Amino acid sequence: MKTPNRLYQSGQSLLAAAFGASATLAFSPFSYWPFMLVALWGLFTLLQTASPKRSAWLGFCWGLGQFTTGVSWVYVSIDHFGGMPAIAGLSLMALLIAYLSLYPALFSALVNKLPIRQPGIKWLVLAPALWLVIDWLRGWVFTGFPWLWPGYSQIDSPLAGIAPVFGVQGITLVLAILAGLLAIITPRWGHWQGKVRHRAIAAGLGLVAVSYGLGSINWVTKTDQQQQISLIQGNVPQALKWRPDQRWPTLMKYLDFTRQHWDSDVIIWPEAAVPALERELPRFFSQLDQAAKHNQTTVITGALDQNEQGAYFNNVLALGAGTPAYRYPAPTQYSKHHLLPFGEFVPFEALLRPLAPLFNLPMSSFSPGEPIQSALPANGWDYITALCYEIAFPAQIRDNLNADSDAIITLSNDAWFGRSIGPWQHLEIARMRALEFGLPVMRATNNGVTALVDEHGKLQATLPQFETQVLTTQITRTEGITPYRQWGNTPLWLWVIFSGGLGVMVWRRDTRKPSKISTNL
């Protein structure tokens, strides 16, 4: 029989997991953005009286709640297309969720190891800075998995105005500060009472007001230059896509839609729209290039390829107006740089692949392209490309931007994830990139969500999922530059450095106090 203390600890663990799970409700397609603040406040409050060891466990439980619900869409691709027994697929998902949960566990353990007694310094300065560092770590280790950064959930909240200035992680920082503020003024668990609590509440409301005010600033403005674009959503079932007998029916579907939209300036097919290697269809691409040039249109399409050394690449090709005459390999192309771990490459491949067939998922043997690549020419405009998962890496996109960049395109094939919440989270991330950089983002997908996002991160036009349609609309060139496009994460790193320096100063001051008292005595 459990003792009352054991029951209390079990209840805390379940509560931490529930708070973590509630964070998923803040992201698309639910978009109940206040839940992210509730989730962080819940974790921070539970950590107020916990030991570092206990804190690590509570943080791990919080992560289990968030990632079990938030990245459940990964299992769809493993179960439907991985070709492995259910127990193996569930084991792989459990490993992924446990791994991701280590990051909030690490944050929780470290924050309660900080030798700082002042709650204001600990929870309003050091804890938010530490959360940023841990989040960045998650976005870097094993090439990174920055999905579900808290800031993404606020794309439609009053905090969205922070993104053009400090990026998505600037929003995360403000969320962490607000959560820490709420945690230390909460009755019973909080440290601040009376007038101090009232001032803290006023400070929090002031921070939200400043964030809201930033959203009213137009960092970029529209020009009178426009392009007509057509995004083709082929809606080709993933189970049929790579069957040899479906190659030409698929190609003819895209060609038929393309012929109907030769009046557009740019026509965009989704990721890997061509169900063959580029080297297998040089005549097809050459004829498509000639037809596009004749109609003064640029066609952009995803296509896989294998080089002479046997390495596979996930590419995007630009054909037609504004590009050189096609000769294999395409003279204007982009090769995906940020590959999805286990989905497109296997970390420690030589060690893991021989161990079990579960590491031999389809399409898991790609090689990365260069981190910095030229923009794709698009009928006189320059398009910065992000293939699928890459749209979640703002630093990569920023590194590829230059003064001539006109728009961002992201090609994806979310058919791997069925009717899950994954594609909607993916679209939310694309919206954040538009807001951060003040550029329109075009999202061309196989089965949704195909969309055009304006320079303010607002959905301008979309197609329904799981329908074969073409989205034809206008995009407008912008002028100006957002502070985030200019500075990147530099201000946030300065905050982290400042926070660390302040923490060291406070710690040294506190450690000297006892010796001074004893001397005076």
Side-chain angles (χ1 to χ4, degrees):
M1 182 175 180
K2 290 187 176 180
T3 64
N5 186 53
R6 290 282 301 278
L7 289 172
Y8 177 74
Q9 291 184 345
S10 298
Q12 274 194 323
S13 302
L14 291 174
L15 188 58
F19 277 125
S22 72
T24 298
L25 295 174
F27 295 95
S28 188
F30 313 107
S31 301
Y32 301 125
W33 51 263
F35 272 100
M36 180 51 68
L37 185 56
V38 172
L40 291 174
W41 164 78
L43 175 62
F44 287 11
T45 300
L46 289 172
L47 297 179
Q48 294 291 304
T49 57
S51 66
K53 183 177 180 180
R54 179 66 182 165
S55 295
W57 171 249
L58 292 174
F60 186 76
C61 291
W62 191 92
L64 289 178
Q66 184 190 27
F67 295 114
T68 299
T69 56
V71 299
S72 57
W73 46 270
V74 175
Y75 182 71
V76 177
S77 63
I78 295 175
D79 182 54
H80 292 182
F81 307 109
M84 62 179 67
I87 186 64
L90 290 171
S91 299
L92 191 59
M93 273 301 299
L95 285 173
L96 173 63
I97 292 168
Y99 162 72
L100 294 174
S101 300
L102 292 176
Y103 290 95
L106 178 62
F107 162 82
S108 301
L110 291 178
V111 78
N112 270 345
K113 273 187 171 293
L114 296 172
I116 303 296
R117 292 193 289 265
Q118 292 91 331
I121 299 297
K122 180 176 181 179
W123 293 103
L124 303 186
V125 179
L126 297 178
L130 181 60
W131 187 281
L132 279 189
V133 172
I134 299 298
D135 257 4
W136 276 324
L137 191 64
R138 178 161 66 88
W140 174 75
V141 176
F142 301 133
T143 76
F145 192 82
W147 216 268
L148 298 185
W149 277 351
Y152 285 120
S153 66
Q154 305 299 300
I155 188 68
D156 293 313
S157 86
L159 301 183
I162 298 170
V165 184
F166 300 113
V168 62
Q169 288 296 69
I171 302 177
T172 297
L173 175 65
V174 173
L175 281 169
I177 292 173
L178 292 173
L181 189 63
L182 290 173
I184 58 180
I185 65 174
T186 301
R188 185 179 176 184
W189 296 286
H191 301 272
W192 287 353
Q193 309 294 329
K195 291 182 178 179
V196 177
R197 176 188 290 174
H198 298 152
R199 291 170 187 164
I201 293 173
L205 293 175
L207 184 57
V208 174
V210 170
S211 304
Y212 185 77
L214 289 175
S216 65
I217 300 175
N218 291 319
W219 301 104
V220 298
T221 57
K222 290 184 176 181
T223 68
D224 57 358
Q225 302 173 56
Q226 291 188 322
Q227 275 191 338
Q228 179 169 298
I229 61 164
S230 291
L231 309 176
I232 300 179
Q233 183 171 288
N235 195 34
V236 178
Q238 192 63 34
L240 300 179
K241 182 171 181 176
W242 294 100
R243 281 176 36 177
D245 63 324
Q246 293 297 310
R247 173 181 293 184
W248 285 105
T250 298
L251 290 175
M252 292 308 299
K253 172 186 282 192
Y254 281 105
L255 285 175
D256 287 343
F257 279 119
T258 298
R259 293 190 189 102
Q260 296 170 28
H261 293 85
W262 281 131
D263 58 332
S264 292
D265 297 300
V266 182
I267 300 172
I268 305 177
W269 300 6
E271 178 187 20
V274 178
L277 299 178
E278 181 193 350
R279 66 190 306 164
E280 297 173 338
L281 299 173
R283 184 177 178 184
F284 170 82
F285 286 111
S286 179
Q287 291 176 344
L288 179 58
D289 175 57
Q290 293 172 25
K293 282 183 168 63
H294 176 76
N295 289 278
Q296 299 181 351
T297 301
T298 300
V299 175
I300 296 175
T301 181
L304 309 182
D305 199 26
Q306 182 183 30
N307 64 15
E308 294 180 355
Q309 290 73 40
Y312 287 91
F313 293 89
N314 192 354
N315 296 335
V316 180
L317 316 182
L319 309 167
T323 70
Y326 176 84
R327 292 184 60 186
Y328 176 80
T332 49
Q333 65 173 274
Y334 170 86
S335 296
K336 187 174 184 179
H337 169 69
H338 243 117
L339 303 175
L340 181 66
F342 299 104
E344 293 176 310
F345 84 103
V346 176
F348 312 111
E349 181 175 14
L351 174 65
L352 293 180
R353 282 199 188 275
L355 291 180
L358 64 87
F359 293 109
N360 294 319
L361 290 171
M363 307 292 180
S364 63
S365 301
F366 286 103
S367 298
E370 295 297 321
I372 307 296
Q373 301 181 47
S374 299
L376 290 179
N379 218 339
W381 291 33
D382 285 348
Y383 287 178
I384 299 301
T385 306
L387 251 177
C388 193
Y389 178 61
E390 290 184 309
I391 198 66
F393 294 88
Q396 176 184 331
I397 294 175
R398 179 177 176 269
D399 289 343
N400 280 273
L401 290 171
N402 56 53
D404 299 322
S405 303
D406 298 304
I408 299 170
I409 58 169
T410 175
L411 280 60
S412 186
N413 178 23
D414 288 347
W416 292 101
F417 309 115
R419 297 181 180 273
S420 69
I421 60 177
W424 292 99
Q425 293 176 354
H426 209 171
L427 175 61
E428 188 172 60
I429 291 171
R431 293 178 60 195
M432 187 63 73
R433 296 292 88 83
L435 183 58
E436 288 172 335
F437 298 116
L439 293 172
V441 171
M442 294 162 282
R443 187 168 191 266
T445 71
N446 175 36
N447 66 349
V449 183
T450 297
L452 172 64
V453 184
D454 71 12
E455 68 278 8
H456 300 298
K458 304 299 182 183
L459 289 174
Q460 186 172 323
T462 62
L463 289 180
Q465 282 184 289
F466 313 111
E467 293 186 14
T468 304
Q469 289 192 27
V470 178
L471 175 60
T472 297
T473 186
Q474 302 283 334
I475 65 168
T476 304
R477 182 177 268 155
T478 61
E479 60 182 7
I481 186 170
T482 63
Y484 181 72
R485 180 173 170 182
Q486 185 173 9
W487 304 329
N489 287 325
T490 300
L492 299 183
W493 280 115
L494 292 175
W495 169 267
V496 169
I497 294 171
F498 164 78
S499 301
L502 181 62
V504 171
M505 289 176 58
V506 171
W507 172 73
R508 292 183 63 184
R509 185 193 66 187
D510 289 347
T511 55
R512 284 198 296 262
K513 281 182 178 180
S515 61
K516 286 184 178 181
I517 294 172
S518 60
T519 301
N520 293 334
L521 289 174

